[in-house]
Every structure is written in structure tokens, then in C-alpha cells.
Amino acid sequence: MADYRLETSWRPVENSFGRLTFTLFNLSTEPLSGFSLAYTTETRVADNHVCDGGSLKRQVAHFHEFLPPEGLSVRPGGHWRFTVEGLTREPKHVSAGVKSAYLTLAEGRHVPVEFSDLHLEGRDGGAAAPLLPVGSVPDPYSLLPWPLLLGLKAGELPVILYPAEKTRPDAIKSLSLVLALYQRLYPAANAPFSLSAIKGGRAIRFATESSIAGSAYELRFTAHEIVLSSADEAGRQYGLISLAQLMHGARADRERFKFPNFGTIADQPRYDWRGCHLDVARQFYPVADVNRLIDILAWNKLNIFHWHLTDDEAWRLEIKAYPALTEIGARRGPDEVLVPQLGDGAETRAGHYTQDDVRQIVAHAASLHIEVVPEIDIPGHGTATLLSLPELVDGQEAPASYRAVQGYPNNALNPAVEFTYEFLGKVFDEVVALFPSEYLHIGGDEVAQRAWLTSPLCSALMEREKLAGTPELQAYFLRRIKTMLSERGRKLAGWNEVSHGGGVDRDGTLLMAWEQPAVGIELAQQGYNVVITPGQAYYLDMAQSEAWAEPGAAWAGYSSPEHTYAYEAEDDLPEALQEKMRGIQACIWTENFVSRGYFNRLVFPRLSAVAEAAWTPLTRKDWDRFAAIVRMWPIL
């Protein structure tokens, strides 16, 4: 138990974003004086604010440090209270408060402070709603995503499934891989498959059919065997996952789900790009967690893992040419170059992936037919990069001359510093050696409107190249980056802002529409290939109802699992542009994921809802059926 505790509450105030009240309790046996209080939160204090009972000493994005009035001493059992009015946004949910806190004592020692979620003053915030109805299953089969065509008759549940005699070694290997996947996801359940025949089981006969589309499969059930037909390994894997799902449901809920004895399943994915993104910069996830998430993606028949490896808060990928990127940029703490953010407390938090870690994760994903797309977020979101390598900065640029939406000052790599391109060239050389993916994602999002405009080097570049303003400077930068990627055999992927300022060559460029659903249409009209991932439906950090008690972010409103499930990315896309739509993607941004409980509540079941939208045609979707099945699906 800590010796100090911080309680925070918020109350609405007319014509402002409200007032925060902080109360620090001294639970120790000694008086407390000569200290400062530091905490992290997404509810940031604005430049113009009023603080009663204390003063803001320092703020860096989500990090705040306050001082008590001079001479204040808090007796044992006593408290210090101060209020702040003047915020950058109005808190909407319980998780919008403090995410970590610590004191710096007079002698310089940092000590932890316990804290609670943000309390709402003066009114009832409502209850967090149940995320799922009980659901119903008109067809008693546990398959998710639901297949394209299904005509089955239920029968007796086999003891186990096993390969027929004379099955080829490659099919045996596929069966073994899916068996291992199932055992990792459901370690306490009985295995659905055996590699050898078992009495009471049913044989699987594998057939290769060149007429079947890539990644598609067909299952034909008879009383004596199951025939799994596919044209490729991916289709074979998806068919085996479907068999494992059928077995799992029929065993786990025998009243509701059955196993088929007769009939067929013919199935194929709706989109080529069925993605899930994970931000590991705000919160670091160890290799075991990343591998488990990849297993969950495979179980849901998703095929892209978009790995967000760098941001303002951290650089998480080992680059041998620049060890400072992780020696400095992967560490946050009170005495580190990067101050605490979003859950960091009195102790330094550090974490990055070695190149051996990456090779293992990429190989694990590839074995499950998942492509890992790395993201190196440039030119914005570069605080960790710039603090790790100060030679990337134009030293003549006015400090704090612009600020990103998250509050970071001067956080974008400078397009006029030639070392920027030397640095990125060496980074890309190591990245492409680690990731065999078709695309390398370069971010390109949220560069502040007036970025670089006080940089003398950028002023000279703008005059020389006849560029006007930040968007055209960014487009100049990104066109050079696209050329560098092409020279390394990679295509450019990025967020929708890559199109700003004239954008880049459309050929071989894939952009992700996140700001508004309509942005995807605009990008397709401009000639870009598009992945649809709107914050209003597919950002899994958004709260799931408007109730105060529901955790999550609020900038895009809220998105219930039913809304995420029902959202149709193609709804307003003209038929002539549909060939530009590559697919859809869920995004897991981790500012709010300071606990495993919050992660699982926010990500699941919405991840599976996106997976079904990516695989299953609209006419085959059924919310009640999905709700009945998804409650059996694995979480992190």
C-alpha cells in the first residue's frame, strides 16, 4: 500500500470544459512538505487556465507536474486540495482522469501515489450497458466469421477429427498448426484434432481444387468423413479453423450448438485486407502478448497485423545503426529524457523489440497466414525520435513554435534537414530486412498545421521548390520517402493525411481512411487504394456507450459492439470506385489501455465484429447469431 493517494473529480462549468478537483491524501506517518505532484492524463490542462490552491510547474503533453502553495505541510491523515479550470477538452468517461501519479520529495526521491478513476460531480453518469444480448442461433453452428454459403444437417458429435489415411505431409502440418493454435487459445479444452486415427472420430480428407479461389475453402460432411477442398494453404487453414470452431461450440454449449453430419460449407473472404492494428508506443506489450493477439487474429480469419512501432511516446524497434532510438526513445520515467506518459509512474518503464523478437513474431504470423505490416510513423509523432537523435533538429527553429493535437511541441521530422533522409534510409534498410511485407506504413498523420514554418532550413526549401505551407512541405517529404521505399522494393502505406498538399504518386500507394467515413470516398476519387478504418466504428479504443461509467476515448463519439458490427464500409462508396477499396481494419490505440481489464473490455467483442464485416457479405450477417457465438471466443 502506498503512503499517498490521489482522488480526482470533474464538474461541468458553463462556457468551459469544466473544473477538475484534485485531493492528495497523506496516509504516511510523517508530515509532507517541499514536494511536487506529477500525474499523467489525456484530460490536459490548457495554456490559459486558473489553478486555485497550487500551480502548474511543468507540462509535456499528457504529463503534468503541480506544486503546492509555498510552505504547505500536509500532516499525517491530512490532505492537499487544488482545482484547475481551463482544459483542452471535456472529459466524457471515467477513464479520462489520472492514469498514473507520483510525488517528487524534497530530497529528489520519487514515490508512487495510488489513484482512482475520475469521479463525476453532481449528477448520475449512468451505468455501463451490457455489451451483448444473449443472442440466438437459427443455424446451430459456432462459426465466426459466418461463411458465404452453408447447408448443413446436425448429427452426432464425433470424439475427434483426424487426417484420413495417406494424407500428404503438408496437410498434416496444416492440421498440426491449427491444433497448436487451438491449444494455445483454449488450453483447458479437449483438442479437436488428432494426427492419428482414433475410434469414434471422423476422418478429414484433403483435396486440392484449382477451381477454388485463393483463401477460399469448401467442406463436405458425410457420416464417414469430412472432405476439405482448397486451392492453397491459406484456404486449407481457414477450413481447419472452421472445423475447430464447430467442434469447440458443440462441446462448450451442447444445448445451443451442434456438429454437422451432412451438408456443405462453401466459404471465401469478402476482402483481401482484413486487418488489425496495435499501438505499442503508448503501452508496450511483450512478445508473448503480441503472439497471442496474432493467434486471436488467426482464429477470427484476419490476415493483416499492422504494428504501430513508433510514436511521440516511444520508439519500440531495435535499429542497429542507431541504438539511441531504444536506449533513449524506449524509456520513460521521472529521470529519463522522455518524461512519464499515459500510465508511467515513479519508476522508469522501458520496453522494445529486438530484431530477434521481430523475426520470431513475423515467422509466427506467417505460419498463420498473417502478414505483419510495420509502421514507422513519420514525419509527425516524432518526439521520441527527435529526443533520441537531436541532430535531426534544425537548431535555428523557434522552440515550441507549433504543437501537435496531443500537446507535443515541435514533434515532426524536418523535411529540410538532409540527415533526416540518411537516417530514414538506414532505418528502412533494417526494417525491410526484418519484414517481408508488401507495404511499409509510414504514418503521415496529424502533422500540426504550422509545423516547420519557423525553420530557416524549411523556409529556404520552400523558396527553392516553390512550396506553400506545411501540407506541401509534407508532400515533398513523403514523395522522397516513397522513392526510397520503391528503391527497397516496398510500397507505401499511410494514414489519409498522406493525400494532403498534393499527396504522392497513387500507383502502389495504400491509404487508410480514419478521420471520417467520407474520407475513404475522397481518397478513392483521388485514385488511391483505400482501407476503411473510421474512428467512429473501427477504433477499438472508443467508449462503447455514452455512459460516464464506460471506459474509453471520446473524440469520435462512442461505438457499441452492435454499431461496429452493423457498420458498412461500402455503404456510400460509388460502384465505380469499389475496386479501389482493398478492405477494412480495426485499430487498437492504447492511450486508455492501462490495464488488461480495460484492453479486453474495449477490444472484445468488437474485434470479432470487424472480422465478420471483413469476411462475411452483408446479406449473411446476423447480430443475434454473432452475439451468441462470440461470447465463446478468446480474449487477450
Side-chain angles (χ1 to χ4, degrees):
M1 177 179 171
D3 285 336
Y4 309 98
R5 185 171 189 88
L6 181 65
E7 298 286 346
T8 58
S9 62
W10 175 83
R11 62 178 299 178
V13 175
E14 192 173 351
N15 299 321
S16 83
F17 289 141
R19 181 183 300 122
L20 290 171
T21 298
F22 298 84
T23 309
L24 176 70
F25 293 90
N26 181 5
L27 306 177
S28 75
T29 58
E30 300 293 332
L32 176 64
S33 61
F35 65 94
S36 67
L37 167 67
Y39 67 87
T40 66
T41 181
E42 285 194 281
T43 304
R44 302 192 311 276
V45 172
D47 291 339
N48 295 321
H49 67 273
V50 176
C51 182
D52 184 13
S55 60
L56 181 62
K57 175 185 179 183
R58 182 171 53 138
Q59 179 186 0
V60 181
H62 312 288
F63 171 86
H64 300 69
E65 187 174 15
F66 276 88
L67 294 172
E70 188 174 353
L72 178 74
S73 179
V74 183
R75 61 178 177 77
H79 64 266
W80 164 48
R81 178 172 292 134
F82 65 98
T83 63
V84 179
E85 187 172 342
L87 309 173
T88 59
R89 66 174 66 177
E90 179 180 318
K92 299 283 189 181
H93 298 282
V94 66
S95 54
V98 169
K99 299 190 185 305
S100 60
Y102 65 90
L103 297 182
T104 300
L105 303 181
E107 70 272 23
R109 186 164 55 94
H110 309 295
V111 296
V113 173
E114 291 182 339
F115 59 94
S116 301
D117 279 336
L118 186 60
H119 302 295
L120 176 62
E121 296 182 32
R123 61 183 171 87
D124 181 10
L131 299 182
L132 289 169
V134 174
S136 61
V137 283
D139 295 299
Y141 307 108
S142 59
L143 290 166
L144 196 163
W146 194 252
L148 177 64
L149 296 170
L150 177 147
L152 299 173
K153 182 178 178 181
E156 185 177 342
L157 177 64
V159 170
I160 206 161
L161 307 179
Y162 59 85
E165 288 188 23
K166 300 181 180 178
T167 295
R168 299 187 314 274
D170 60 332
I172 296 283
K173 184 176 181 180
S174 293
L175 185 71
S176 179
L177 283 168
V178 176
L179 172 58
L181 169 67
Y182 182 86
Q183 290 177 314
R184 291 193 299 272
L185 293 175
Y186 297 103
N190 292 332
F193 304 135
S194 167
L195 300 189
S196 58
I198 292 179
K199 187 175 181 180
R202 192 172 304 170
I204 306 170
R205 183 159 57 87
F206 295 88
T208 301
E209 297 285 351
S210 58
S211 60
I212 295 177
S215 298
Y217 67 92
E218 293 179 2
L219 287 166
R220 183 162 55 87
F221 297 85
T222 73
H224 304 292
E225 68 174 5
I226 301 164
V227 180
L228 169 52
S229 302
S230 62
D232 57 19
E233 287 186 7
R236 185 166 63 204
Q237 174 185 283
Y238 295 139
L240 287 168
I241 288 173
S242 290
L243 287 174
Q245 290 178 353
L246 288 165
M247 289 287 285
H248 181 73
R251 286 169 167 174
D253 189 345
R254 292 174 182 249
E255 293 296 316
R256 188 175 275 201
F257 299 106
K258 307 299 178 186
F259 193 85
N261 260 17
F262 296 97
T264 59
I265 295 172
D267 199 11
Q268 67 183 55
R270 182 180 184 184
Y271 296 121
D272 292 335
W273 187 289
R274 306 181 305 281
C276 177
H277 151 290
L278 178 67
D279 161 25
V280 297
R282 278 57 178 257
Q283 309 294 339
F284 179 74
Y285 295 89
V287 170
D289 285 354
V290 176
N291 279 332
R292 180 166 176 85
L293 180 62
I294 288 170
D295 283 346
I296 292 169
L297 304 189
W299 185 250
N300 285 276
K301 300 190 175 87
L302 293 165
N303 69 336
I304 300 289
F305 175 52
H306 172 179
W307 202 2
H308 186 85
L309 288 160
T310 75
D311 214 298
D312 287 303
E313 290 80 5
W315 180 291
R316 300 297 191 188
L317 174 64
E318 178 191 18
I319 299 295
K320 294 185 184 296
Y322 299 104
L325 288 169
T326 49
E327 291 172 356
I328 295 173
R331 301 175 61 84
R332 301 195 301 253
D335 300 313
E336 304 293 339
V337 174
L338 270 67
V339 300
Q341 299 287 351
L342 300 169
D344 306 322
E347 301 293 329
T348 292
R349 283 209 300 177
H352 73 274
Y353 304 96
T354 68
Q355 295 197 357
D356 284 343
D357 290 337
V358 171
R359 292 185 189 97
Q360 189 277 320
I361 288 169
V362 169
H364 177 66
S367 75
L368 297 169
H369 298 281
I370 292 172
E371 182 178 344
V372 182
V373 176
E375 180 180 353
I376 305 298
D377 200 351
I378 53 175
H381 291 282
T383 298
T385 310
L386 296 168
L387 290 178
S388 299
L389 298 171
E391 55 266 46
L392 289 166
V393 176
D394 178 359
Q396 300 178 80
E397 183 176 38
S401 57
Y402 64 89
R403 191 178 295 178
V405 66
Q406 289 85 7
Y408 288 94
N410 290 32
N411 73 330
L413 273 67
N414 193 310
V417 173
E418 201 56 32
F419 177 59
T420 297
Y421 304 98
E422 177 187 337
F423 158 70
L424 289 173
K426 292 180 179 179
V427 169
F428 292 155
D429 286 340
E430 296 192 32
V431 170
V432 300
L434 292 169
F435 296 92
S437 55
E438 178 183 8
Y439 289 94
L440 198 160
H441 200 294
I442 53 76
D445 62 316
E446 295 187 324
V447 173
Q449 286 186 354
R450 297 190 58 78
W452 309 308
L453 298 188
T454 67
S455 162
L457 291 176
C458 278
S459 296
L461 174 64
M462 292 167 70
E463 183 175 353
R464 185 171 69 249
E465 298 290 334
K466 297 181 171 53
L467 304 173
T470 298
E472 291 189 14
L473 272 170
Q474 172 167 307
Y476 166 87
F477 170 82
L478 291 176
R479 285 193 288 269
R480 289 190 63 172
I481 295 304
K482 183 172 172 64
T483 298
M484 293 169 66
L485 294 181
S486 296
E487 291 169 350
R488 292 161 174 80
R490 294 296 186 271
K491 297 177 181 178
L492 184 149
W495 302 108
N496 54 246
E497 295 97 318
V498 169
S499 66
H500 293 179
V504 301
D505 183 3
R506 278 61 168 162
D507 185 36
T509 298
L510 179 70
L511 298 188
M512 296 182 174
W514 69 272
E515 288 184 287
Q516 293 285 343
V519 170
I521 299 173
E522 296 169 8
L523 294 174
Q525 288 171 336
Q526 294 172 34
Y528 291 104
N529 288 326
V530 180
V531 169
I532 305 295
T533 177
Q536 295 77 11
Y538 290 167
Y539 270 35
L540 305 187
D541 59 320
M542 290 298 122
Q544 297 177 88
S545 79
E546 61 182 337
W548 180 270
E550 189 69 62
W555 67 262
Y558 63 91
S559 180
S560 69
E562 185 173 9
H563 172 72
T564 297
Y565 183 82
Y567 179 77
E568 266 301 303
E570 285 187 15
D571 258 1
D572 298 316
L573 193 66
E575 188 173 345
L577 297 176
Q578 288 183 3
E579 66 176 12
K580 292 293 183 183
M581 182 173 165
R582 288 286 308 280
I584 64 176
Q585 178 170 291
C587 286
I588 304 173
W589 298 102
T590 58
E591 288 95 332
N592 286 282
F593 292 2
V594 293
S595 71
R596 182 64 57 94
Y598 271 3
F599 186 102
N600 283 331
R601 180 170 180 86
L602 285 157
V603 171
F604 307 105
R606 291 187 296 182
L607 178 61
S608 295
V610 178
E612 185 144 298
W615 183 281
T616 306
L618 172 61
T619 56
R620 299 287 289 163
K621 291 167 65 177
D622 183 313
W623 166 246
D624 281 334
R625 181 191 61 224
F626 171 86
I629 296 169
V630 77
R631 61 186 68 253
M632 299 185 297
W633 259 222
I635 60 177
L636 197 62

